[in-house]
Amino acid sequence: MRPVTSTSAPPAPPASPSTNSHGSPGLGSNLHAAKWPGRDRRPVRVRIAPSPTGDPHVGTAYIALFNYVFAKKHGGQFILRIEDTDRTRSTRSSEDAILRALRWVGLKWDEGPDCGGPFGPYRQSERTEHYQAHAHKLVESGAAYPCFCTAERLETSRRARAAEGKPPGYDRFCRYLPVDEAKARMASGEKYVIRLAMPESGETRFYDGLRGEIVIDNATIDDQILLKSDGFPTYHLANVVDDHLMQVSHVIRAEEWIISTPKHVQLYQAFGWTPPAFLHMPLLRNPDRSKISKRKNPVSLDYYRDAGFFPEALLNFLALMGFAFGGDREKFTLAEMIEVFDFAKVSAGEPVFDLQKLSWLNGLYLREMAVPELLQRLRAWRLSDEFLLKILPLAHQRIERMDQLIPGTTFFLTGDLDYEGALPLMVPKTRDAAATAQVLSDLTDFLEENVRVDWTAEVLEKACRDFCDKSGWKSKELFMAIRVAVTARVAAPPLFDTMVVTGKDLTRRRLRLAAAALLGQARSADSSASTEAAPAGAGKKAPPGPAKPPAGADKNAAGA
């Protein structure tokens, strides 16, 4: 595919944002906002549409924040819609977690699955008849077509295209079937999907509120599946149909969806609808500028709650990921942000999600807080009766005096742990640090995939024993490594009960941090060993070696 380009200026790689002493991106004004078609469009109706397939993601709160602020700035409506069309991974418990986390962070929606609204239902799984009807309308108009290709035929086609040096994508085999034949096969009950008939030539254009006009060559875009064989829609169809039926005026989402927007624009045109105004926020980045990921930064909103961050500090921090309040001011309330908000103050740069910066900002809120308010926050956090009643049963039979309670349970009352002195305790006698680091990292991935809902002692024990069978580690070896990673000590309450009380997000975070610390120790040991093994005189200039073979010499020849 031709790179996404803007006609207002030649394409250029995004510049790394400059930072002040606390790590905030140096944000300039957004010149494209003044020409954005959505700037004066009213009434404002925006939405956030998370998929309930995992933990509540910090990126969801980030995009929700900018939608919410824009809506409230202009007296508009903020909608929460659940995109649960992934029937194998979507769960109601994940939906509940998303709603709970967004409420915790301080965002409230005007319409949604929990509070209803004039355009419900607000779960896509409850709207399938809308998608099916609209998909068949597109087939009747010729803007889409049924595809009967089996998985085997698609795989054969994919391999053939790869062998011919063609880009991946559907070869449009069913696009030109005779209409009567296609209708007969549909009527006979043969399985099919419905695909969008993308124009094979020309360009699709749309204006992005942060990047200006974007142009994509139609020939590079696949004939996207709109309706799956089970009657459920793909993201693309459901997204467009719902945004239209819910009268969404502005689509404000992450920049990873830019590449899908031409398909959406084509769908709007095929239906004869006016598309919303588009604006794509920059992705949150790790310090190395890679997309934020759970392996380098905690991404679950529940982690930040459990680690003791204030929700208003987290919202403030997320605002700084793209928005410049004005001057050097970095601490501001949600209401203050709404008052001065304009997308002209939002940058398309690469915002770095820096935990040290978040901790610094959280500290500002904490130190400015009145002591009685801080006491209430602490009681609502880990010093509540509810949480202490989770800890006490685990410590009850392990202490003799009340003063032993806090020293014996500190790992329940903190976020990240200090592993100084604890790393050797994680490594079994028959293993090394590198192998232990790898198994802890693999275990974390295994738990994230297999224990997504029921974080209970019984489920965790079964999952960890299953992982032992898979990895070849003995349970005694692995369980001690887990214990030290989660508590930084060898003597602690029962392991799986401890993991339950610690919580899913803190437990996984500690497993990853322990793995990283062990890997660092292993690399340091390897470096030291290499230095000690260096022969005498290492580092001195070596005498001239044999002459290099002439260019083109056979490297497989004797002596090469």
Side-chain angles (χ1 to χ4, degrees):
M1 173 172 285
R2 192 178 74 189
V4 176
T5 60
S6 169
T7 59
S8 58
S16 298
S18 60
T19 58
N20 62 21
S21 60
H22 299 298
S24 290
L27 301 174
S29 61
N30 169 25
L31 301 178
H32 298 297
K35 300 178 182 178
W36 186 37
R39 185 171 184 83
D40 300 314
R41 184 177 292 187
R42 302 291 182 273
V44 170
R45 286 180 57 82
V46 297
R47 50 72 170 172
I48 184 74
S51 297
T53 55
D55 300 321
H57 199 284
V58 68
T60 300
Y62 164 64
I63 299 299
L65 170 64
F66 282 87
N67 276 276
Y68 176 87
V69 168
F70 180 71
K72 298 311 166 186
K73 174 68 175 180
H74 299 289
Q77 303 295 302
F78 173 54
I79 304 163
L80 175 64
R81 188 173 73 217
I82 297 296
E83 297 195 342
D84 59 347
T85 55
D86 186 338
R87 300 176 69 185
T88 59
R89 301 182 67 234
S90 294
T91 65
R92 188 57 62 90
S93 61
S94 179
E95 176 188 319
D96 293 341
I98 291 170
L99 270 59
R100 183 195 67 240
L102 289 177
R103 289 192 197 100
W104 171 77
V105 85
L107 298 177
K108 298 179 181 179
W109 42 97
D110 302 294
E111 302 170 27
D114 57 332
C115 59
F119 299 99
Y122 292 89
R123 293 185 186 92
Q124 289 186 337
S125 60
E126 299 170 1
R127 300 173 59 85
T128 53
E129 70 278 4
H130 293 299
Y131 313 130
Q132 292 168 0
H134 282 85
H136 285 282
K137 283 183 181 178
L138 292 179
V139 172
E140 290 298 320
S141 70
Y145 60 94
C147 172
F148 305 92
C149 292
T150 63
E152 292 76 17
R153 195 210 160 266
L154 291 173
E155 177 61 19
T156 299
S157 172
R158 185 193 66 79
R159 291 178 179 177
R161 291 176 67 84
E164 295 170 8
K166 295 180 179 179
Y170 181 54
D171 62 2
R172 298 182 165 115
F173 179 79
C174 290
R175 180 164 176 167
Y176 302 106
L177 289 176
V179 174
D180 291 343
E181 178 186 340
K183 286 183 176 180
R185 293 173 70 174
M186 293 169 70
S188 72
E190 185 176 350
K191 280 192 173 184
Y192 65 92
V193 299
I194 292 179
R195 291 181 180 271
L196 174 65
M198 273 296 298
E200 297 182 74
S201 61
E203 298 171 332
T204 298
R205 299 170 178 264
F206 63 94
Y207 197 96
D208 181 88
L210 292 186
R211 296 165 181 81
E213 187 172 38
I214 291 176
V215 183
I216 294 184
D217 187 348
N218 290 336
T220 65
I221 304 176
D222 192 17
D223 281 8
Q224 180 69 48
I225 293 176
L226 301 178
L227 196 71
K228 294 177 282 188
S229 59
D230 61 2
F232 270 68
T234 61
Y235 167 82
H236 304 283
L237 177 66
N239 175 284
V240 168
V241 170
D242 284 347
D243 283 347
H244 174 74
L245 295 181
M246 295 181 181
Q247 299 181 12
V248 169
S249 59
H250 301 73
V251 169
I252 302 166
R253 57 190 176 188
E255 66 178 306
E256 61 190 333
W257 295 109
I258 288 177
I259 204 65
S260 296
T261 306
K263 301 172 186 177
H264 302 168
V265 170
Q266 289 293 333
L267 276 170
Y268 279 104
Q269 292 177 358
F271 283 123
W273 300 336
T274 300
F278 294 103
L279 187 145
H280 294 85
M281 294 294 296
L283 293 174
L284 300 178
R285 300 282 175 176
N286 295 310
D288 63 3
R289 296 300 195 270
S290 61
K291 178 182 175 182
I292 190 171
S293 64
K294 58 193 175 187
R295 289 176 175 79
K296 297 181 179 180
N297 261 315
V299 297
S300 172
L301 287 170
D302 289 345
Y303 165 81
Y304 296 95
R305 178 201 63 199
D306 295 345
F309 290 96
F310 297 137
E312 61 267 42
L314 180 58
L315 269 190
N316 189 162
F317 176 72
L318 291 174
L320 293 173
M321 294 294 94
F323 172 72
F325 188 92
D328 294 328
R329 185 170 176 182
E330 295 190 296
K331 181 177 179 293
F332 45 85
T333 66
L334 182 58
E336 289 171 330
M337 181 181 179
I338 292 170
E339 184 178 355
V340 303
F341 187 78
D342 192 309
F343 271 114
K345 296 182 177 182
V346 175
S347 168
E350 296 181 334
V352 174
F353 195 97
D354 183 351
L355 274 177
Q356 290 184 333
K357 171 65 181 289
L358 174 56
S359 294
W360 167 83
L361 187 60
N362 199 79
L364 295 183
Y365 279 86
L366 189 150
R367 286 185 288 276
E368 293 178 7
M369 191 174 287
V371 170
E373 170 68 11
L374 178 57
L375 178 60
Q376 289 183 0
R377 296 293 186 104
L378 287 168
R379 283 177 172 164
W381 178 64
R382 290 296 201 237
L383 299 185
S384 66
D385 288 353
E386 180 184 3
F387 191 74
L388 290 175
L389 284 172
K390 294 178 181 178
I391 294 177
L392 287 175
L394 301 183
H396 190 189
Q397 303 300 320
R398 303 176 66 85
I399 60 174
E400 296 175 335
R401 302 187 311 273
M402 288 189 292
D403 69 332
Q404 295 173 340
L405 175 66
I406 300 301
T409 58
T410 54
F411 47 85
F412 288 126
L413 302 170
T414 187
D416 297 346
L417 300 177
D418 182 359
Y419 292 114
E420 185 175 358
L423 292 181
L425 303 176
M426 292 184 208
V427 183
K429 292 181 180 179
T430 58
R431 310 283 183 173
D432 60 23
T436 308
Q438 186 63 55
V439 81
L440 288 177
S441 179
D442 291 345
L443 171 66
T444 311
D445 292 339
F446 185 83
L447 292 177
E448 287 180 345
E449 184 61 31
N450 294 279
V451 190
R452 295 168 47 227
V453 179
D454 298 318
W455 190 262
T456 64
E458 295 77 12
V459 171
L460 286 170
E461 180 173 3
K462 182 181 184 306
C464 289
R465 291 191 183 280
D466 288 346
F467 181 79
C468 286
D469 294 338
K470 176 183 176 182
S471 64
W473 275 56
K474 296 179 181 178
S475 59
K476 182 179 180 181
E477 296 176 326
L478 181 66
F479 291 2
M480 179 55 72
I482 298 172
R483 182 184 301 279
V484 179
V486 173
T487 67
R489 58 184 72 182
V490 294
L495 174 59
F496 301 109
D497 291 321
T498 296
M499 293 170 71
V500 170
V501 174
T502 300
K504 178 169 59 174
D505 296 288
L506 275 179
T507 296
R508 296 187 312 204
R509 165 78 169 167
R510 290 176 184 178
L511 289 171
R512 290 203 184 281
L513 288 177
L518 282 170
L519 188 58
Q521 182 188 69
R523 288 173 176 169
S524 177
D526 289 344
S527 177
S528 298
S530 298
T531 302
E532 292 174 3
K540 296 181 181 179
K541 186 175 181 180
K548 294 182 179 180
D554 185 358
K555 293 182 180 180
N556 294 318

PDB file of all heavy atoms in Angstrom, residues 220-242:
ATOM      1  N   THR A 220      -4.852  -0.379  -3.508  1.00  0.00           N
ATOM      2  CA  THR A 220      -4.086  -1.033  -2.437  1.00  0.00           C
ATOM      3  C   THR A 220      -4.983  -1.564  -1.326  1.00  0.00           C
ATOM      4  O   THR A 220      -4.484  -2.161  -0.369  1.00  0.00           O
ATOM      5  CB  THR A 220      -3.082  -0.049  -1.828  1.00  0.00           C
ATOM      6  OG1 THR A 220      -3.791   1.022  -1.178  1.00  0.00           O
ATOM      7  CG2 THR A 220      -2.158   0.538  -2.882  1.00  0.00           C
ATOM      8  N   ILE A 221      -6.293  -1.361  -1.443  1.00  0.00           N
ATOM      9  CA  ILE A 221      -7.202  -1.733  -0.362  1.00  0.00           C
ATOM     10  C   ILE A 221      -7.961  -2.997  -0.725  1.00  0.00           C
ATOM     11  O   ILE A 221      -8.520  -3.118  -1.815  1.00  0.00           O
ATOM     12  CB  ILE A 221      -8.190  -0.586  -0.060  1.00  0.00           C
ATOM     13  CG1 ILE A 221      -7.422   0.700   0.266  1.00  0.00           C
ATOM     14  CG2 ILE A 221      -9.101  -0.964   1.100  1.00  0.00           C
ATOM     15  CD1 ILE A 221      -8.319   1.901   0.470  1.00  0.00           C
ATOM     16  N   ASP A 222      -7.969  -3.938   0.193  1.00  0.00           N
ATOM     17  CA  ASP A 222      -8.610  -5.239  -0.022  1.00  0.00           C
ATOM     18  C   ASP A 222     -10.141  -5.102  -0.014  1.00  0.00           C
ATOM     19  O   ASP A 222     -10.686  -4.123   0.487  1.00  0.00           O
ATOM     20  CB  ASP A 222      -8.173  -6.172   1.115  1.00  0.00           C
ATOM     21  CG  ASP A 222      -8.516  -7.624   0.859  1.00  0.00           C
ATOM     22  OD1 ASP A 222      -8.799  -7.960  -0.296  1.00  0.00           O
ATOM     23  OD2 ASP A 222      -8.498  -8.411   1.824  1.00  0.00           O
ATOM     24  N   ASP A 223     -10.822  -6.084  -0.593  1.00  0.00           N
ATOM     25  CA  ASP A 223     -12.283  -6.174  -0.491  1.00  0.00           C
ATOM     26  C   ASP A 223     -12.618  -6.753   0.889  1.00  0.00           C
ATOM     27  O   ASP A 223     -12.703  -7.969   1.085  1.00  0.00           O
ATOM     28  CB  ASP A 223     -12.849  -7.075  -1.603  1.00  0.00           C
ATOM     29  CG  ASP A 223     -12.931  -6.361  -2.939  1.00  0.00           C
ATOM     30  OD1 ASP A 223     -12.423  -5.230  -3.038  1.00  0.00           O
ATOM     31  OD2 ASP A 223     -13.492  -6.946  -3.882  1.00  0.00           O
ATOM     32  N   GLN A 224     -12.798  -5.874   1.825  1.00  0.00           N
ATOM     33  CA  GLN A 224     -12.959  -6.233   3.229  1.00  0.00           C
ATOM     34  C   GLN A 224     -14.241  -7.027   3.478  1.00  0.00           C
ATOM     35  O   GLN A 224     -15.283  -6.732   2.902  1.00  0.00           O
ATOM     36  CB  GLN A 224     -12.995  -4.957   4.072  1.00  0.00           C
ATOM     37  CG  GLN A 224     -13.163  -5.180   5.551  1.00  0.00           C
ATOM     38  CD  GLN A 224     -11.930  -5.810   6.163  1.00  0.00           C
ATOM     39  OE1 GLN A 224     -10.821  -5.365   5.921  1.00  0.00           O
ATOM     40  NE2 GLN A 224     -12.118  -6.863   6.953  1.00  0.00           N
ATOM     41  N   ILE A 225     -14.161  -8.040   4.339  1.00  0.00           N
ATOM     42  CA  ILE A 225     -15.366  -8.753   4.768  1.00  0.00           C
ATOM     43  C   ILE A 225     -16.193  -7.818   5.644  1.00  0.00           C
ATOM     44  O   ILE A 225     -15.672  -7.180   6.567  1.00  0.00           O
ATOM     45  CB  ILE A 225     -15.013 -10.033   5.545  1.00  0.00           C
ATOM     46  CG1 ILE A 225     -14.351 -11.055   4.613  1.00  0.00           C
ATOM     47  CG2 ILE A 225     -16.270 -10.648   6.177  1.00  0.00           C
ATOM     48  CD1 ILE A 225     -13.893 -12.315   5.322  1.00  0.00           C
ATOM     49  N   LEU A 226     -17.477  -7.728   5.350  1.00  0.00           N
ATOM     50  CA  LEU A 226     -18.400  -6.896   6.124  1.00  0.00           C
ATOM     51  C   LEU A 226     -19.273  -7.726   7.051  1.00  0.00           C
ATOM     52  O   LEU A 226     -19.538  -7.339   8.184  1.00  0.00           O
ATOM     53  CB  LEU A 226     -19.304  -6.090   5.182  1.00  0.00           C
ATOM     54  CG  LEU A 226     -18.606  -5.155   4.193  1.00  0.00           C
ATOM     55  CD1 LEU A 226     -19.638  -4.480   3.296  1.00  0.00           C
ATOM     56  CD2 LEU A 226     -17.766  -4.113   4.933  1.00  0.00           C
ATOM     57  N   LEU A 227     -19.749  -8.863   6.537  1.00  0.00           N
ATOM     58  CA  LEU A 227     -20.618  -9.743   7.322  1.00  0.00           C
ATOM     59  C   LEU A 227     -20.043 -11.143   7.264  1.00  0.00           C
ATOM     60  O   LEU A 227     -19.803 -11.682   6.179  1.00  0.00           O
ATOM     61  CB  LEU A 227     -22.042  -9.723   6.758  1.00  0.00           C
ATOM     62  CG  LEU A 227     -23.142 -10.276   7.678  1.00  0.00           C
ATOM     63  CD1 LEU A 227     -23.373  -9.318   8.842  1.00  0.00           C
ATOM     64  CD2 LEU A 227     -24.440 -10.489   6.902  1.00  0.00           C
ATOM     65  N   LYS A 228     -19.800 -11.738   8.441  1.00  0.00           N
ATOM     66  CA  LYS A 228     -19.211 -13.071   8.500  1.00  0.00           C
ATOM     67  C   LYS A 228     -20.266 -14.145   8.239  1.00  0.00           C
ATOM     68  O   LYS A 228     -21.473 -13.868   8.227  1.00  0.00           O
ATOM     69  CB  LYS A 228     -18.562 -13.274   9.874  1.00  0.00           C
ATOM     70  CG  LYS A 228     -17.373 -12.353  10.111  1.00  0.00           C
ATOM     71  CD  LYS A 228     -16.780 -12.500  11.500  1.00  0.00           C
ATOM     72  CE  LYS A 228     -17.597 -11.782  12.545  1.00  0.00           C
ATOM     73  NZ  LYS A 228     -16.928 -11.767  13.876  1.00  0.00           N
ATOM     74  N   SER A 229     -19.814 -15.360   8.050  1.00  0.00           N
ATOM     75  CA  SER A 229     -20.733 -16.448   7.684  1.00  0.00           C
ATOM     76  C   SER A 229     -21.698 -16.786   8.811  1.00  0.00           C
ATOM     77  O   SER A 229     -22.732 -17.414   8.570  1.00  0.00           O
ATOM     78  CB  SER A 229     -19.943 -17.698   7.282  1.00  0.00           C
ATOM     79  OG  SER A 229     -19.111 -18.131   8.353  1.00  0.00           O
ATOM     80  N   ASP A 230     -21.385 -16.385  10.044  1.00  0.00           N
ATOM     81  CA  ASP A 230     -22.301 -16.640  11.161  1.00  0.00           C
ATOM     82  C   ASP A 230     -23.333 -15.533  11.331  1.00  0.00           C
ATOM     83  O   ASP A 230     -24.119 -15.543  12.280  1.00  0.00           O
ATOM     84  CB  ASP A 230     -21.516 -16.831  12.468  1.00  0.00           C
ATOM     85  CG  ASP A 230     -20.705 -15.601  12.858  1.00  0.00           C
ATOM     86  OD1 ASP A 230     -20.763 -14.583  12.148  1.00  0.00           O
ATOM     87  OD2 ASP A 230     -19.997 -15.670  13.887  1.00  0.00           O
ATOM     88  N   GLY A 231     -23.320 -14.557  10.411  1.00  0.00           N
ATOM     89  CA  GLY A 231     -24.289 -13.475  10.470  1.00  0.00           C
ATOM     90  C   GLY A 231     -23.854 -12.294  11.318  1.00  0.00           C
ATOM     91  O   GLY A 231     -24.583 -11.297  11.408  1.00  0.00           O
ATOM     92  N   PHE A 232     -22.673 -12.390  11.928  1.00  0.00           N
ATOM     93  CA  PHE A 232     -22.164 -11.284  12.730  1.00  0.00           C
ATOM     94  C   PHE A 232     -21.307 -10.366  11.868  1.00  0.00           C
ATOM     95  O   PHE A 232     -20.607 -10.825  10.959  1.00  0.00           O
ATOM     96  CB  PHE A 232     -21.348 -11.802  13.918  1.00  0.00           C
ATOM     97  CG  PHE A 232     -22.167 -12.043  15.155  1.00  0.00           C
ATOM     98  CD1 PHE A 232     -23.108 -13.068  15.188  1.00  0.00           C
ATOM     99  CD2 PHE A 232     -22.017 -11.249  16.275  1.00  0.00           C
ATOM    100  CE1 PHE A 232     -23.871 -13.293  16.321  1.00  0.00           C
ATOM    101  CE2 PHE A 232     -22.773 -11.459  17.410  1.00  0.00           C
ATOM    102  CZ  PHE A 232     -23.717 -12.488  17.434  1.00  0.00           C
ATOM    103  N   PRO A 233     -21.331  -9.069  12.158  1.00  0.00           N
ATOM    104  CA  PRO A 233     -20.574  -8.121  11.332  1.00  0.00           C
ATOM    105  C   PRO A 233     -19.110  -8.080  11.733  1.00  0.00           C
ATOM    106  O   PRO A 233     -18.737  -8.486  12.840  1.00  0.00           O
ATOM    107  CB  PRO A 233     -21.242  -6.778  11.678  1.00  0.00           C
ATOM    108  CG  PRO A 233     -21.614  -6.943  13.118  1.00  0.00           C
ATOM    109  CD  PRO A 233     -22.055  -8.388  13.252  1.00  0.00           C
ATOM    110  N   THR A 234     -18.281  -7.586  10.844  1.00  0.00           N
ATOM    111  CA  THR A 234     -16.925  -7.216  11.219  1.00  0.00           C
ATOM    112  C   THR A 234     -16.963  -5.793  11.772  1.00  0.00           C
ATOM    113  O   THR A 234     -17.981  -5.100  11.710  1.00  0.00           O
ATOM    114  CB  THR A 234     -15.978  -7.265  10.016  1.00  0.00           C
ATOM    115  OG1 THR A 234     -16.435  -6.324   9.024  1.00  0.00           O
ATOM    116  CG2 THR A 234     -15.918  -8.659   9.428  1.00  0.00           C
ATOM    117  N   TYR A 235     -15.841  -5.375  12.306  1.00  0.00           N
ATOM    118  CA  TYR A 235     -15.740  -4.029  12.880  1.00  0.00           C
ATOM    119  C   TYR A 235     -16.179  -2.965  11.884  1.00  0.00           C
ATOM    120  O   TYR A 235     -16.877  -2.012  12.242  1.00  0.00           O
ATOM    121  CB  TYR A 235     -14.289  -3.785  13.323  1.00  0.00           C
ATOM    122  CG  TYR A 235     -13.988  -2.343  13.640  1.00  0.00           C
ATOM    123  CD1 TYR A 235     -14.309  -1.798  14.876  1.00  0.00           C
ATOM    124  CD2 TYR A 235     -13.389  -1.516  12.692  1.00  0.00           C
ATOM    125  CE1 TYR A 235     -14.037  -0.466  15.169  1.00  0.00           C
ATOM    126  CE2 TYR A 235     -13.117  -0.183  12.972  1.00  0.00           C
ATOM    127  CZ  TYR A 235     -13.439   0.338  14.214  1.00  0.00           C
ATOM    128  OH  TYR A 235     -13.177   1.643  14.482  1.00  0.00           O
ATOM    129  N   HIS A 236     -15.769  -3.118  10.639  1.00  0.00           N
ATOM    130  CA  HIS A 236     -15.960  -2.058   9.651  1.00  0.00           C
ATOM    131  C   HIS A 236     -17.442  -1.777   9.391  1.00  0.00           C
ATOM    132  O   HIS A 236     -17.880  -0.620   9.386  1.00  0.00           O
ATOM    133  CB  HIS A 236     -15.234  -2.423   8.354  1.00  0.00           C
ATOM    134  CG  HIS A 236     -13.787  -2.708   8.568  1.00  0.00           C
ATOM    135  ND1 HIS A 236     -12.859  -1.725   8.757  1.00  0.00           N
ATOM    136  CD2 HIS A 236     -13.117  -3.887   8.649  1.00  0.00           C
ATOM    137  CE1 HIS A 236     -11.669  -2.269   8.930  1.00  0.00           C
ATOM    138  NE2 HIS A 236     -11.796  -3.581   8.872  1.00  0.00           N
ATOM    139  N   LEU A 237     -18.218  -2.816   9.164  1.00  0.00           N
ATOM    140  CA  LEU A 237     -19.640  -2.615   8.907  1.00  0.00           C
ATOM    141  C   LEU A 237     -20.355  -2.103  10.152  1.00  0.00           C
ATOM    142  O   LEU A 237     -21.111  -1.121  10.102  1.00  0.00           O
ATOM    143  CB  LEU A 237     -20.290  -3.921   8.437  1.00  0.00           C
ATOM    144  CG  LEU A 237     -21.803  -3.842   8.198  1.00  0.00           C
ATOM    145  CD1 LEU A 237     -22.120  -2.923   7.030  1.00  0.00           C
ATOM    146  CD2 LEU A 237     -22.386  -5.236   7.964  1.00  0.00           C
ATOM    147  N   ALA A 238     -20.137  -2.765  11.285  1.00  0.00           N
ATOM    148  CA  ALA A 238     -20.831  -2.381  12.512  1.00  0.00           C
ATOM    149  C   ALA A 238     -20.488  -0.949  12.904  1.00  0.00           C
ATOM    150  O   ALA A 238     -21.362  -0.179  13.330  1.00  0.00           O
ATOM    151  CB  ALA A 238     -20.459  -3.343  13.634  1.00  0.00           C
ATOM    152  N   ASN A 239     -19.241  -0.587  12.744  1.00  0.00           N
ATOM    153  CA  ASN A 239     -18.783   0.751  13.085  1.00  0.00           C
ATOM    154  C   ASN A 239     -19.531   1.817  12.297  1.00  0.00           C
ATOM    155  O   ASN A 239     -20.067   2.783  12.861  1.00  0.00           O
ATOM    156  CB  ASN A 239     -17.270   0.817  12.822  1.00  0.00           C
ATOM    157  CG  ASN A 239     -16.682   2.185  13.011  1.00  0.00           C
ATOM    158  OD1 ASN A 239     -16.841   3.063  12.172  1.00  0.00           O
ATOM    159  ND2 ASN A 239     -15.974   2.362  14.114  1.00  0.00           N
ATOM    160  N   VAL A 240     -19.607   1.639  11.000  1.00  0.00           N
ATOM    161  CA  VAL A 240     -20.249   2.641  10.137  1.00  0.00           C
ATOM    162  C   VAL A 240     -21.752   2.682  10.355  1.00  0.00           C
ATOM    163  O   VAL A 240     -22.354   3.761  10.487  1.00  0.00           O
ATOM    164  CB  VAL A 240     -19.896   2.363   8.655  1.00  0.00           C
ATOM    165  CG1 VAL A 240     -20.768   3.196   7.727  1.00  0.00           C
ATOM    166  CG2 VAL A 240     -18.420   2.644   8.402  1.00  0.00           C
ATOM    167  N   VAL A 241     -22.387   1.514  10.391  1.00  0.00           N
ATOM    168  CA  VAL A 241     -23.836   1.478  10.574  1.00  0.00           C
ATOM    169  C   VAL A 241     -24.228   2.095  11.916  1.00  0.00           C
ATOM    170  O   VAL A 241     -25.150   2.925  11.994  1.00  0.00           O
ATOM    171  CB  VAL A 241     -24.360   0.034  10.461  1.00  0.00           C
ATOM    172  CG1 VAL A 241     -25.822  -0.052  10.886  1.00  0.00           C
ATOM    173  CG2 VAL A 241     -24.192  -0.472   9.028  1.00  0.00           C
ATOM    174  N   ASP A 242     -23.530   1.726  12.969  1.00  0.00           N
ATOM    175  CA  ASP A 242     -23.873   2.258  14.288  1.00  0.00           C
ATOM    176  C   ASP A 242     -23.611   3.758  14.383  1.00  0.00           C
ATOM    177  O   ASP A 242     -24.411   4.499  14.965  1.00  0.00           O
ATOM    178  CB  ASP A 242     -23.086   1.525  15.377  1.00  0.00           C
ATOM    179  CG  ASP A 242     -23.648   0.152  15.665  1.00  0.00           C
ATOM    180  OD1 ASP A 242     -24.772  -0.133  15.219  1.00  0.00           O
ATOM    181  OD2 ASP A 242     -22.972  -0.642  16.348  1.00  0.00           O
TER     182      ASP A 242
END
